[in-house]
């Protein structure tokens, strides 16, 4: 019951946050110099047609009226028309978002599978060789720019040894699986289409690892420091005094306490990965939200930029809400406060 | 004899150098006996306890021998020692607020000792945990078993710690300042509980404390430590009535007494020397009001004052030969004016 009330309160709190984000994005995208109407019509348009279109798009209204119109649309499920793709923005988002979500989830799974074990190894063998190596890799992951790492991967794994494909979501000539979630791996699994599944996974590997590099580094470092703090605490000494073996103390007592701050960071990492998809998708020609956003910005496609930003913001807040709720079940202290 | 500690020395690595924390510490604990280890902070009391349990930081160098019921546990492998810890030899720590795992119910934490050291079934373990909770004087045990540490008070948590330590009926219980973090009324309750447990189980207890009141309350024999060395050892009554080492007298003098309101409370000037910078002779020489030339150059040997009462001080050594020293030995405040 407490958990439900907690979730309800957090959902209500989301509303002002989303309002804030919408105002901020709207103002910022409208202060970018450039005239969307002129961009649509091209250099040869007459002043008359230009002012007619400006009027039609509402560009002559004061900013707060424009914002009001936009928000009125949102409440009716209308995110506006993309001036670039000539389709409703909501349709574009549905089309591109699953690709980005699939890539981000893949990156997060890799992050979890590598980051947390590395952090544990690093902490339990503090200052030994394994720790030093892990720390160097974690630092490299955090410090390396994603687009550069992506290019290195492309050069080596795609061009040089041809182990993994370098662009797109499927092999050329292969048709996507039946649309269920829009995530090719999931849809292929659900329909039992193995060749497509294999191809989709292979295409995920390079962009996935590229996107995960930074978050692996973040999570490894956080796990290490958090575990070290826990391993030095009094209740770990108690566990040893009871006669618990090294492994029992590490996995039975230290791990659960030690991963708590890591879980919080995971929410941040998820947001980081979603935002970072812009670079990674450009490098690997991944037809997702990131590439859509880059095009939208290039063409001053304000409704599209707004749509992408709002969607990422909602995802980020939702993921963090899920994580905070998770906390509620892991840490008994929260339930009684 | 239950526990025999012989010439235990401990060095810890600090900033790349080893420094000696304990220097040839020897003492014994008999069955059913409570031995107090007293001294100021930093004199090696806790490190002595942790050395017995071998719960030491990495890169610690431990020398000498510890025998528990005739078994030399200092030779034991890590694995073999784990079977002893929490089973034959348990430990209770100073801070009950941080010594319990915040994410596990108290029942689970007590049960862990039973899982590690007995073959009890799940049902038997639950019965045993409930009995332990009852034994340490906790109320409404049926609910308590599923509660988390943060739901309990400091005194209750220390009782849980005692229940954990007692789970496998150890022969030796080491208590490292078990009442320091508790308020006075709770302290008294915990000490009473410890006395009860001792009478029932006949186990040996090592009580580490800096509180002479606690010593008077529960100990049979007392070991006074200073700067990593044992400086005096005596039965508790003898120690209070006839303290020999100037350090022991200083400790006893610093306890406020009823009806002596006007008198200034005794204190020992200076602080305990750091391990990196130990004096060559007697380690207490710099703070001692009876200091002689020999104290600063040569380490005093342990001298027998009478049966069971020994001290390491030149004042009582035949060769040190200072007859003055023995004059005012009946009451601590008569001879020393700090």
């Amino acid at each position: 019951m407490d958990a439900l009330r907690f979730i309800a309160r957090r959902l209500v709190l989301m509303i002002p946050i989303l309002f804030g984000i919408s105002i901020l994005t709207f103002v910022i995208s409208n202060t970018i110099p450039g005239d969307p109407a002129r961009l649509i019509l091209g250099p040869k348009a007459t002043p008359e047609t230009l002012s007619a279109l400006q009027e039609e798009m509402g560009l002559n209204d004061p900013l707060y009226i424009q914002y009001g119109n936009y928000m009125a649309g949102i409440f009716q499920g209308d995110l506006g028309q993309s001036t670039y793709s000539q389709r409703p923005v909501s349709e574009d988002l549905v089309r591109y978002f699953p690709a980005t979500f699939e890539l981000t989830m893949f990156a997060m799974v890799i992050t979890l599978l590598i980051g947390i074990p590395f952090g544990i190894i690093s902490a339990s063998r503090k200052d030994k060789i394994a720790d030093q190596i892990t720390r160097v890799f974690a630092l490299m992951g955090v410090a390396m720019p994603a687009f550069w790492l992506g290019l290195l991967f492309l050069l080596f794994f795609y061009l040089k040894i041809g182990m993994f494909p370098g662009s797109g979501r499927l092999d050329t000539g292969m048709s996507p699986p039946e649309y269920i979630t829009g995530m090719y791996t999931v849809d292929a699994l659900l329909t039992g289409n193995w060749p497509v599944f294999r191809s989709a996974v292979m295409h995920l590997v390079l962009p996935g690892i590229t996107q995960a590099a930074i978050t692996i580094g973040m999570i490894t470092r956080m796990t290490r420091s958090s575990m070290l703090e826990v391993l030095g605490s009094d209740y770990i000494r108690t566990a040893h005094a009871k006669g618990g073996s090294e492994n029992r103390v590490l996995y039975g007592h230290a791990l659960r306490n030690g991963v708590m701050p890591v879980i919080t960071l995971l929410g941040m990492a998820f947001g980081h990965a979603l935002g970072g998809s812009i670079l990674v998708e450009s490098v690997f020609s991944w037809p997702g939200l990131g590439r859509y956003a880059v095009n939208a910005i290039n063409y001053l496609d304000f409704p599209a930029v707004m749509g992408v930003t709002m969607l990422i913001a909602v995802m980020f807040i939702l993921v963090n809400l899920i994580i905070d709720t998770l906390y509620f079940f892991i840490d008994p202290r929260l339930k009684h406060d | 004899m239950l526990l025999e500690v012989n010439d235990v020395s401990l060095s810890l690595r600090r900033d790349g150098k080893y420094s000696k924390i304990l220097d040839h510490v020897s003492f014994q604990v008999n069955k059913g006996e409570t031995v107090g280890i007293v001294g100021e902070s930093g004199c090696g009391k806790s490190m002595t306890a942790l050395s017995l349990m071998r719960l030491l930081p990495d890169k610690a160098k431990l020398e000498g021998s510890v025998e528990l019921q005739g078994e030399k546990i200092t030779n034991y492998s890590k694995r073999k020692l784990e079977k002893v810890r929490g089973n034959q030899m348990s430990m209770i720590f100073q801070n009950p607020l941080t010594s319990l795992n915040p994410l596990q119910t108290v029942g689970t934490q007590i049960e862990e000792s039973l899982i590690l050291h007995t073959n009890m079934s799940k049902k038997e373990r639950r019965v045993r945990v409930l009995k332990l909770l009852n034994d340490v004087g906790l109320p409404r045990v049926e609910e308590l078993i599923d509660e988390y540490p943060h739901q309990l008070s400091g005194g209750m948590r220390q009782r849980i710690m005692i229940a954990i330590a007692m789970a496998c009926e150890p022969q030796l219980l080491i208590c490292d300042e078990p009442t320091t973090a508790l308020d006075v009324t709770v302290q008294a309750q915990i000490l009473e509980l410890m006395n009860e447990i001792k009478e029932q189980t006949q186990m040996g207890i090592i009580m580490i404390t800096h509180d002479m009141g606690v010593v008077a309350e529960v100990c049979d024999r007392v070991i006074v430590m200073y700067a990593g060395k044992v400086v005096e050892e005596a039965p508790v009554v003898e120690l209070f009535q006839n303290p020999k080492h100037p350090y022991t007298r200083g400790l006893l003098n610093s306890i406020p007494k009823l009806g002596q309101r006007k008198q200034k409370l005794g204190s020992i000037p200076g602080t305990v020397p750091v391990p990196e910078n130990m004096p060559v002779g007697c380690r207490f020489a710099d703070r001692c009001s009876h200091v002689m030339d020999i104290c600063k150059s040569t380490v005093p040997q342990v001298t027998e004052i009478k049966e069971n009462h020994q001290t390491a001080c030149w004042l009582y050594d035949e060769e040190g030969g200072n007859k003055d020293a023995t004059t005012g030995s009946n009451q601590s405040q008569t001879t020393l004016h700090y």
Side-chain angles (χ1 to χ4, degrees):
Chain A
M1 269 302 102
D2 281 348
L4 281 180
R5 254 185 36 211
F6 172 80
I7 295 170
R9 208 172 57 204
R10 291 292 302 263
L11 282 172
V12 173
L13 274 174
M14 261 179 83
I15 297 169
I17 296 175
L18 286 176
F19 259 109
I21 291 170
S22 70
I23 293 174
L24 215 63
T25 337
F26 198 83
V27 171
I28 291 173
S29 46
N30 275 282
T31 45
I32 297 172
D35 183 351
R38 186 177 283 280
L39 215 64
I40 291 170
L41 293 170
K44 288 180 186 153
T46 60
E48 290 76 33
T49 44
L50 183 66
S51 62
L53 186 65
Q54 280 172 338
E55 192 58 42
E56 191 200 316
M57 289 172 75
L59 293 173
N60 294 331
D61 292 333
L63 206 54
Y64 67 90
I65 301 255
Q66 289 186 41
Y67 175 74
N69 289 336
Y70 179 76
M71 288 311 281
I74 277 194
F75 283 115
Q76 292 156 31
D78 176 14
L79 293 170
Q81 186 90 4
S82 163
T83 50
Y84 168 65
S85 71
Q86 296 294 325
R87 277 187 305 255
V89 171
S90 50
E91 242 175 61
D92 282 347
L93 292 184
V94 171
R95 178 193 301 240
Y96 294 115
F97 178 68
T100 297
F101 190 68
E102 183 177 37
L103 180 59
T104 307
M105 287 312 279
F106 187 77
M108 291 316 286
V109 170
I110 300 178
T111 300
L112 276 179
L113 290 182
I114 297 180
I116 291 183
F118 270 30
I120 296 171
I121 291 169
S122 203
S124 63
R125 311 224 197 313
K126 185 173 179 271
D127 294 334
K128 300 202 175 119
I129 294 286
D131 179 30
Q132 308 288 13
I133 294 173
T134 318
R135 282 165 74 188
V136 169
F137 271 103
L139 199 63
M140 267 164 58
V142 176
M144 195 118 58
F147 68 89
W148 187 68
L149 185 67
L151 288 175
L152 286 185
F153 279 167
L154 274 183
L155 271 175
F156 187 73
F157 289 106
Y158 173 57
L159 287 174
K160 191 119 191 179
I161 63 174
M163 202 165 138
F164 295 106
S167 71
R169 297 175 71 187
L170 287 176
D171 293 341
T172 33
M174 202 173 254
S175 50
E178 195 186 329
Y179 188 98
I180 301 169
T181 60
M183 292 181 270
Y184 287 180
T185 47
V186 178
D187 291 353
L189 261 185
L190 290 175
T191 53
N193 193 342
W194 298 111
V196 170
F197 178 73
R198 196 179 162 277
S199 173
V201 170
M202 292 301 272
H203 277 81
L204 272 171
V205 172
L206 290 185
I209 294 177
T210 306
Q211 206 176 52
I214 293 180
T215 47
I216 289 174
M218 282 162 66
I219 295 291
T220 305
R221 287 156 62 92
M222 186 67 172
T223 309
R224 178 180 187 270
S225 67
S226 163
M227 285 296 281
L228 280 180
E229 197 185 315
V230 168
L231 285 173
S233 63
D234 287 349
Y235 56 85
I236 294 301
R237 191 180 53 187
T238 306
H240 279 298
K242 279 191 226 175
S245 65
E246 214 57 65
N247 276 342
R248 192 185 170 94
V249 174
L250 187 62
Y251 296 105
H253 290 273
L255 186 57
R256 206 166 140 214
N257 281 287
V259 294
M260 292 224 282
V262 180
I263 293 173
T264 309
L265 187 68
L266 212 57
M268 298 294 179
F270 185 86
H272 205 283
L274 265 184
S277 63
I278 291 180
L279 289 172
V280 176
E281 287 179 7
S282 300
V283 173
F284 290 96
S285 317
W286 190 264
L289 217 52
R291 265 209 338 177
Y292 178 67
V294 171
N295 282 334
I297 293 166
N298 282 339
Y299 288 94
L300 297 179
D301 189 350
F302 293 147
V305 174
M306 284 293 292
V308 171
T309 315
M310 293 301 283
L311 182 62
I312 291 184
V314 170
M315 285 309 297
F316 186 71
I317 295 172
L318 276 181
V319 165
N320 279 286
L321 174 63
I322 292 171
I323 279 169
D324 287 353
T325 315
L326 216 62
Y327 248 102
F328 216 81
F329 292 101
I330 299 179
D331 192 343
R333 282 166 292 192
L334 289 176
K335 253 177 250 169
H336 304 101
D337 279 349
Chain B
M1 190 160 319
L2 179 63
L3 179 82
E4 184 156 12
V5 180
N6 264 324
D7 281 331
V8 165
S9 296
L10 172 72
S11 302
L12 293 182
R13 208 178 144 117
R14 275 187 202 155
D15 308 323
K17 280 184 301 194
Y18 278 100
S19 52
K20 213 162 196 179
I21 307 293
L22 298 178
D23 192 1
H24 296 278
V25 172
S26 301
F27 62 92
Q28 293 99 36
V29 180
N30 295 312
K31 222 176 144 197
E33 183 186 40
T34 302
V35 174
I37 301 182
V38 296
E40 284 165 285
S41 315
C43 66
K45 297 170 301 197
S46 293
M47 277 302 159
T48 307
L50 294 174
S51 299
L52 299 182
M53 294 286 283
R54 232 198 282 165
L55 288 173
L56 296 164
D58 290 345
K59 294 174 185 161
K61 225 162 62 190
L62 190 64
E63 293 156 300
S65 86
V66 178
E67 283 179 28
L68 184 68
Q69 291 187 307
E71 286 274 327
K72 197 168 172 185
I73 58 171
T74 22
N75 288 344
Y76 276 20
S77 69
K78 224 173 174 182
R79 275 278 155 74
K80 214 168 164 196
L81 198 70
E82 279 161 9
K83 297 262 176 289
V84 178
R85 281 187 202 144
N87 191 14
Q88 288 153 272
M89 178 164 71
S90 285
M91 188 159 175
I92 302 170
F93 300 97
Q94 179 169 359
N95 197 342
L97 297 180
T98 54
S99 293
L100 290 167
N101 187 337
L103 301 185
Q104 288 185 350
T105 63
V106 297
T108 312
Q109 300 192 49
I110 301 173
E111 194 187 3
E112 190 177 14
S113 302
L114 301 172
I115 294 174
L116 287 167
H117 303 295
T118 69
N119 295 322
M120 290 183 185
S121 70
K122 207 174 154 75
K123 260 193 194 143
E124 288 169 328
R125 289 200 301 260
R126 192 183 159 86
V127 172
R128 173 87 180 125
V129 170
L130 287 172
K131 183 175 184 300
L132 281 163
L133 288 172
N134 226 341
D135 288 350
V136 295
L138 286 164
R140 48 180 192 87
V141 291
E142 290 278 353
E143 296 152 49
L144 202 73
I145 193 169
D146 293 319
E147 284 180 11
Y148 290 92
H150 71 271
Q151 292 168 279
L152 312 177
S153 69
M156 286 168 96
R157 287 190 224 185
Q158 195 60 297
R159 284 172 197 266
I160 300 287
M161 284 300 291
I162 296 174
I164 291 174
M166 298 303 301
C168 299
E169 298 176 338
Q171 284 101 38
L172 179 70
L173 180 64
I174 304 169
C175 308
D176 187 2
E177 310 238 8
T179 56
T180 308
L182 305 173
D183 56 51
V184 188
T185 47
V186 182
Q187 277 187 21
Q189 292 166 11
I190 296 285
L191 291 178
E192 198 178 320
L193 172 67
M194 311 234 19
N195 271 338
E196 275 171 32
I197 289 173
K198 187 181 75 172
E199 268 164 42
Q200 282 163 15
T201 60
Q202 281 301 301
M203 65 180 175
I205 298 178
I206 294 176
M207 177 66 74
I208 290 165
T209 181
H210 60 256
D211 184 341
M212 285 308 215
V214 172
V215 172
E217 188 86 22
V218 296
C219 295
D220 302 313
R221 206 148 46 79
V222 189
I223 289 157
V224 183
M225 282 189 76
Y226 184 78
K229 265 180 161 320
V230 175
V231 295
E232 187 161 4
E233 184 184 336
V236 66
V237 179
E238 167 80 5
L239 189 92
F240 273 84
Q241 285 178 352
N242 192 16
K244 289 297 181 193
H245 199 284
Y247 179 62
T248 313
R249 296 189 198 170
L251 280 183
L252 290 170
N253 252 346
S254 59
I255 314 170
K257 292 176 189 67
L258 280 177
Q260 295 188 357
R261 203 192 182 97
K262 296 263 165 63
Q263 201 172 353
K264 202 178 167 208
L265 206 56
S267 71
I268 310 171
T271 50
V272 184
V274 290
E276 292 79 17
N277 196 15
M278 274 300 167
V280 225
C282 174
R283 295 179 173 184
F284 189 59
D286 289 344
R287 302 171 71 187
C288 182
S289 56
H290 290 259
V291 63
M292 301 175 290
D293 285 344
I294 192 169
C295 303
K296 297 200 168 174
S297 58
T298 320
V299 179
Q301 295 305 306
V302 174
T303 318
E304 186 115 37
I305 303 292
K306 58 168 92 160
E307 208 194 339
N308 294 329
H309 190 171
Q310 307 155 358
T311 187
C313 178
W314 283 119
L315 291 174
Y316 310 100
D317 195 287
E318 308 273 305
E319 286 163 54
N322 194 329
K323 294 275 187 272
D324 295 346
T326 48
T327 49
S329 53
N330 280 335
Q331 275 298 316
S332 50
Q333 63 262 44
T334 53
T335 42
L336 301 177
H337 306 283
Y338 291 113

